[in-house]
């Protein structure tokens, strides 16, 4: 994994692990680091542990002298100083920071180093997954060789659990804040992002496992670590550091948006409701001071409705409280009916916010999983506490559409997935064939939410293909006539594409043309006699608005033509069409024998 010009013994990655009273987690963390298939150096900085972790670390260092280096310091005042000491002892081309209670995926460093070497990356973000803790997700939608800081979501992740080019850290003296109990990694990450020329993302593998301690002893699990006033004081440092490196304009506004959304206005949410009146005024005053310094029209335009309203209501504590209650209220929703009315899917239900008796509007929102920009909003008809929407399913594009109910109150829109809570009589409506596409309403397997599959992307398309008769023709062809039904009706002639023969053992396929007939009939002349030796299963392939839909061709023994043999040169070819046992589906066994092989069999 090293650069071609580097020495063969050069270290690829220095894994820096600060450890303070984490003995119960050390085995898992260190084992996961040791199995990484890169040339590695594991630097563990024991920050004054008193739980026996120091002795365990010394054992690891003794048994893994080539890989593990342990440094003991007196401390316990946060992870900033141990990480900085780890950087000073690092010799790898890259540095990765891992907390002692977390652990790496088995291929994490191998994949991230490969990404960095391929792109000359300064920072590589590896997918983070949470175990009892919330993990960042917006930046891990897809892997990327190179992303731009101002055109991506990578800045949303300001934890230090990433791969950094060590030369970057040394050239710019990028270090953690040693006087900070929380936020030291934010300061570090902001500084690194400001100097990184190439940022990459590994999103297709679980690189880092973020673990919640059951005893709640982690600093970030303690309530004091998220004190709103302390957090607002802390966040000034990374914002000012960023502003020193990024001039005013779209990029700075994009980065400030992250701080206002996740660091500043977040203090006006649940923690604001939990505070008393005096503390609420203090929080609002600190938020207002940050807004006076950094809030720009460019930031305003990028925020959601509730945060924009907060920015204009910082002198109105009652308004801020109402907004916080709206934001934190549970979205109640219940599906009470689901049926077809012609080509319209009629959805009825009840929705509202817990503890809030009124709303200013309601709608059902359909979002496409395949197209992030695909969204359809259907205003709801209201009758008392019930709502009704009619979905024109035939107008939906190919893909999977998830249904959400949206409730608007005071300019704030809250949404929740629809379907998991539903009346006992609500069942999945029958599929429909509309305009050449099959429409399949369904409830998701994991949570039972309502979605619509247009084209059969994840839901099996109900249909049948059955033979009426078969016979042999010239050219070693098997003439077949049959009939098709999809969702109980005959598909359009344009939907019928081809007949496909698939060899069971090799997976090899051969396709032949099909002629569609009126009322769901079809005819084909597949050259079965020219198939290579093996057992071949027959499918009819249709285009129903999504991926090609294949149906096994059903038949019975009485309909299948008799076996056929052909003599050619020194070869004897035999084809035996047959109906499989059980469900009765068309298959064919093809054999090819030389004259010598036939004679040998006769003489046995």
């Amino acid at each position: 994994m090293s650069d071609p010009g580097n020495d063969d013994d050069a270290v690829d990655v220095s894994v820096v692990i600060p450890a303070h009273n984490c003995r119960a987690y050390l085995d898992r963390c260190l084992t996961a680091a040791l199995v990484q298939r890169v040339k590695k150096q594991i630097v563990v900085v024991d920050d004054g542990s008193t739980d026996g972790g120091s002795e365990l670390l010394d054992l690891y260092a003794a048994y893994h002298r080539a890989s593990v280096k342990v440094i003991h310091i007196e401390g316990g005042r946060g992870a900033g100083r141990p990480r900085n000491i780890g950087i000073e002892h690092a010799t790898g081309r890259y540095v990765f920071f891992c907390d002692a209670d977390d652990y790496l995926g088995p291929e994490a460093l191998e994949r991230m180093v490969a990404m960095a070497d391929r792109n000359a990356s300064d920072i590589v973000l590896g997918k983070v997954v949470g175990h009892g803790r919330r993990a960042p997700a917006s930046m891990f939608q897809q892997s990327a060789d190179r992303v731009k800081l101002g055109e991506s979501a990578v800045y949303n992740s300001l934890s230090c659990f990433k791969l950094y080019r060590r030369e970057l850290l040394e050239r710019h003296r990028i270090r953690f804040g040693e006087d900070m109990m929380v936020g030291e990694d934010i300061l570090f990450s902001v500084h690194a992002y400001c100097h990184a020329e190439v940022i990459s993302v590994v999103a297709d593998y679980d690189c880092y496992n973020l673990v919640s301690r059951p005893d709640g002893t982690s600093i970030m699990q303690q309530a004091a670590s998220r004190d709103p006033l302390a957090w607002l004081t802390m966040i000034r440092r990374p914002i000012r550091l960023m502003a020193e490196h990024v001039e005013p304009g779209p990029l700075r506004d994009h980065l400030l948006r992250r701080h206002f959304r996740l660091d500043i206005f977040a203090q006006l949410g649940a923690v604001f409701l939990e505070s008393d009146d005096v503390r609420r005024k203090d929080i609002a005053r600190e938020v207002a001071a940050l807004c006076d310094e950094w809030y720009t029209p460019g930031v305003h335009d990028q925020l959601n409705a509730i945060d924009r309203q907060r920015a204009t209501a910082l002198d109105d504590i009652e308004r801020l409280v109402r907004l916080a209650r709206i934001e934190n209220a549970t979205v109640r929703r219940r599906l009470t009916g689901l049926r077809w009315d012609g080509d319209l899917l009629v959805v009825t239900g009840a929705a509202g916010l817990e503890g809030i008796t009124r709303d200013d509007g309601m709608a059902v929102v359909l979002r496409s999983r395949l197209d992030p920009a695909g969204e359809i909003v259907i205003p709801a008809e209201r009758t008392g506490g019930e709502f009704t929407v009619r979905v024109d399913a035939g107008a939906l594009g190919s893909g999977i559409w998830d249904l959400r109910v949206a409730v608007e109150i005071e300019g704030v829109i809250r949404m929740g997935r629809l379907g998991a809570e539903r009346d006992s009589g609500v069942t999945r409506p029958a599929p429909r064939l509309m305009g050449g596409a099959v429409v399949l309403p369904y409830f998701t397997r994991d949570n039972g939410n309502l979605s619509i599959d247009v084209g059969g992307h994840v839901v099996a398309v109900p249909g049948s293909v059955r033979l009426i008769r078969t016979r042999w023709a010239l050219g070693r062809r098997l003439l077949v006539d049959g009939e098709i039904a999809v969702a109980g009706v005959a598909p359009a002639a344009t939907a019928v594409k081809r007949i496909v023969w698939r060899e069971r053992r090799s997976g090899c396929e051969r396709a032949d043309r099909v002629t569609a007939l009126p009322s769901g009939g079809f005819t084909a002349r597949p050259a079965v006699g020219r198939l290579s030796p093996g057992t071949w299963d027959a499918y009819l392939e249709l285009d129903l608005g999504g991926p090609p839909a294949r149906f096994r061709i059903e038949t019975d023994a009485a309909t299948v033509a008799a076996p056929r043999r052909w003599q050619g040169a020194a070869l004897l070819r035999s084809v035996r069409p047959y109906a499989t046992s059980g469900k009765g589906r068309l298959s064919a066994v093809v054999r090819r024998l030389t004259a010598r092989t036939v004679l040998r069999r006769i003489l046995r």
Side-chain angles (χ1 to χ4, degrees), residues 172-202:
H172 300 286
R173 291 301 297 172
I174 299 170
R175 294 295 187 268
F176 294 87
E178 296 191 5
D179 58 341
M180 306 169 72
M181 287 298 292
V182 295
E184 79 290 337
D185 54 344
I186 294 178
L187 187 71
F188 177 92
S189 298
V190 166
H191 198 182
Y193 275 133
C194 288
H195 290 292
E197 295 183 5
V198 180
I199 303 170
S200 304
V201 179
V202 175

Side-chain angles (χ1 to χ4, degrees), residues 324-342:
R325 285 176 176 158
I326 292 170
E327 180 184 54
N328 288 277
T330 300
V331 181
R332 295 183 293 101
R333 65 271 194 197
R334 187 171 189 84
L335 185 65
T336 59
L338 191 62
R339 60 181 176 82
W340 288 109
D341 181 6

Side-chain angles (χ1 to χ4, degrees), residues 557-585:
T559 306
V560 177
R564 195 73 176 266
R565 290 184 178 181
W566 292 272
Q567 179 72 46
L571 294 176
L572 177 66
R573 180 184 294 270
S574 70
V575 178
R576 181 176 65 86
Y578 70 98
T580 62
S581 60
K583 295 184 178 180
R585 292 168 171 172

Side-chain angles (χ1 to χ4, degrees), residues 108-130:
L109 295 185
E110 179 183 8
R111 290 172 180 249
M112 286 190 282
V113 168
M115 175 71 82
D117 285 348
R118 186 167 65 249
N119 298 288
S121 310
D122 291 311
I123 302 175
V124 179
L125 288 77
K127 184 178 179 182
V128 180
V129 291

Side-chain angles (χ1 to χ4, degrees), residues 116-445:
D117 285 348
R118 186 167 65 249
N119 298 288
S121 310
D122 291 311
I123 302 175
V124 179
L125 288 77
K127 184 178 179 182
V128 180
V129 291
H131 303 274
R133 292 177 64 183
R134 186 175 180 179
S138 61
M139 64 294 304
F140 296 121
Q141 299 306 303
Q142 61 183 10
S143 295
D145 287 348
R146 293 168 176 250
V147 297
K148 293 184 178 180
L149 191 60
E151 300 175 5
S152 68
V154 295
Y155 194 75
N156 285 349
S157 172
L158 292 182
S159 71
C160 63
F161 311 129
K162 304 173 179 68
L163 189 77
Y164 299 89
R165 186 176 296 277
R166 187 166 66 89
E167 192 270 336
L168 174 81
L169 306 183
E170 297 299 344
R171 179 169 20 120
H172 300 286
R173 291 301 297 172
I174 299 170
R175 294 295 187 268
F176 294 87
E178 296 191 5
D179 58 341
M180 306 169 72
M181 287 298 292
V182 295
E184 79 290 337
D185 54 344
I186 294 178
L187 187 71
F188 177 92
S189 298
V190 166
H191 198 182
Y193 275 133
C194 288
H195 290 292
E197 295 183 5
V198 180
I199 303 170
S200 304
V201 179
V202 175
D204 57 356
Y205 183 77
D206 295 347
C207 293
Y208 192 82
N209 294 272
L210 191 66
V211 179
S212 173
R213 296 194 199 178
D215 59 6
T217 55
S218 170
I219 290 178
M220 292 308 298
Q221 290 178 256
Q222 298 174 28
S225 70
R226 296 300 299 205
D227 175 78
L229 293 173
W231 192 267
L232 291 169
T233 299
M234 177 277 295
I235 205 62
R236 282 181 168 84
R237 282 180 64 179
I239 291 177
R240 287 171 181 164
L241 177 63
M242 179 272 291
E244 290 174 4
H245 293 85
V246 180
E247 63 183 17
L251 175 57
R252 183 191 280 191
D253 288 341
H254 176 77
L255 305 183
L256 283 170
R257 169 187 174 272
R258 185 262 186 231
H259 290 297
F260 275 101
R261 185 171 63 91
L262 300 179
D263 297 317
I264 299 172
F265 288 139
Q267 311 311 318
L268 298 174
V271 70
F272 194 72
L273 291 178
E274 297 166 359
S275 303
D276 58 31
D277 290 340
V278 173
R279 194 166 179 78
R280 286 173 180 170
K281 292 179 181 178
D282 292 339
I283 295 170
R285 184 177 62 252
E286 292 299 316
V287 171
L290 286 161
C291 286
D292 288 342
E293 191 170 1
W294 303 111
Y295 196 78
T296 68
V299 172
H300 180 86
D301 292 342
Q302 296 182 54
L303 294 174
N304 60 26
I306 193 167
D307 284 340
R308 289 198 298 268
Q309 291 191 53
R310 283 169 169 152
T312 61
L314 292 173
D315 58 350
D316 186 346
I317 301 300
E318 291 185 3
R319 172 73 172 145
L320 293 175
V321 170
R322 290 201 307 274
L323 290 171
R325 285 176 176 158
I326 292 170
E327 180 184 54
N328 288 277
T330 300
V331 181
R332 295 183 293 101
R333 65 271 194 197
R334 187 171 189 84
L335 185 65
T336 59
L338 191 62
R339 60 181 176 82
W340 288 109
D341 181 6
D343 287 346
L344 300 177
L345 183 64
V346 181
V347 182
T348 61
L353 296 189
E354 191 74 44
I356 300 176
T357 57
R358 70 172 188 84
D359 63 70
D360 300 324
M362 193 172 297
V364 167
V365 178
L366 288 81
R367 286 185 179 171
S368 171
R369 290 189 206 169
L370 305 183
D371 178 11
E375 181 175 284
I376 298 173
V377 179
I378 306 175
E381 304 169 12
R382 308 291 295 278
T383 305
E386 293 264 325
F387 71 84
T388 301
V389 295
R390 290 170 170 82
V391 180
D392 184 359
L396 298 177
S398 177
I400 303 164
W401 297 82
D402 298 322
L403 277 71
R404 291 171 169 81
V405 62
V407 181
E408 181 177 359
I409 299 179
E410 297 190 36
V412 178
I413 297 175
R414 295 290 314 284
M415 287 196 286
R417 284 285 270 123
L418 187 63
E421 292 291 331
R422 57 183 181 269
D423 289 353
S424 58
V426 177
T427 57
R428 168 183 167 181
R432 286 287 180 92
L433 199 56
M434 300 180 186
V438 63
V439 179
L440 304 113
Y442 73 101
F443 295 107
T444 61
R445 183 177 300 177

